Amino acid sequence: MKRLALAIAGALGLGGGALLSAWPAHAAADPARGERIYARCLACHALAYHRVGPRHCGLLGRKAGAAAGFEYSPAMRQSGLTWNAQTLDRFLAAPMKVVPGTTMTYDGVPERQDRADLIAYLRNADSTEACRAGEAAGR
Ligand code: HEC
């Protein structure tokens, strides 16, 4: 695909970069855009502390239902999931289908690119002040 795009770009006399950057299939995950999408989650979640939903600092690499001090549904605790880019992508597409019985009564994020950006944001969030402060406090 890349070589084809470059060949087309070459044929059109364009810089390959210019064409490739406008090629949607090559769009990279954008954590800044993900932060804006995370606004949808703020109704129930915060990065650094539990609200209606559990805190999200340290999410990637954590087992589902394992943040200390949050009362999860049995469905989440027993889901057998560990959060990584793949499991988050699946869960966030359709939370109530992927973990039937979850108390996260939210329809999900239908757009694949939105989920990718959101996951990039969550991954980066661990290095933010909010998350590091919580870690220092032993949360
Ligand atoms: C209506 C409230 C609500 C909204 C909106 C919501 N969540 Fe949740 N979320 C919850 C609740 C409640 C849980 C705990 C679910 C359980 O125990 O079954 C949860 C759990 C999770 C978990 C599992 C965490 C863990 O520690 O295992 C992830 C991941 C998650 N939410 C991500 C998101 C993201 C990303 C968004 C925004 C796109 C979002 N949620 C929007 C309420 C919400």
Side-chain angles (χ1 to χ4, degrees), residues 74-96:
M76 184 59 76
R77 279 190 274 111
Q78 290 157 19
S79 66
L81 295 170
T82 295
W83 297 123
N84 57 37
Q86 286 74 36
T87 53
L88 279 172
D89 183 65
R90 261 202 305 136
F91 174 67
L92 293 175
M96 293 178 288

Side-chain angles (χ1 to χ4, degrees), residues 64-65 72-81 98-103:
Y72 290 93
S73 65
M76 184 59 76
R77 279 190 274 111
Q78 290 157 19
S79 66
L81 295 170
V98 173
V99 181
T102 180
T103 47

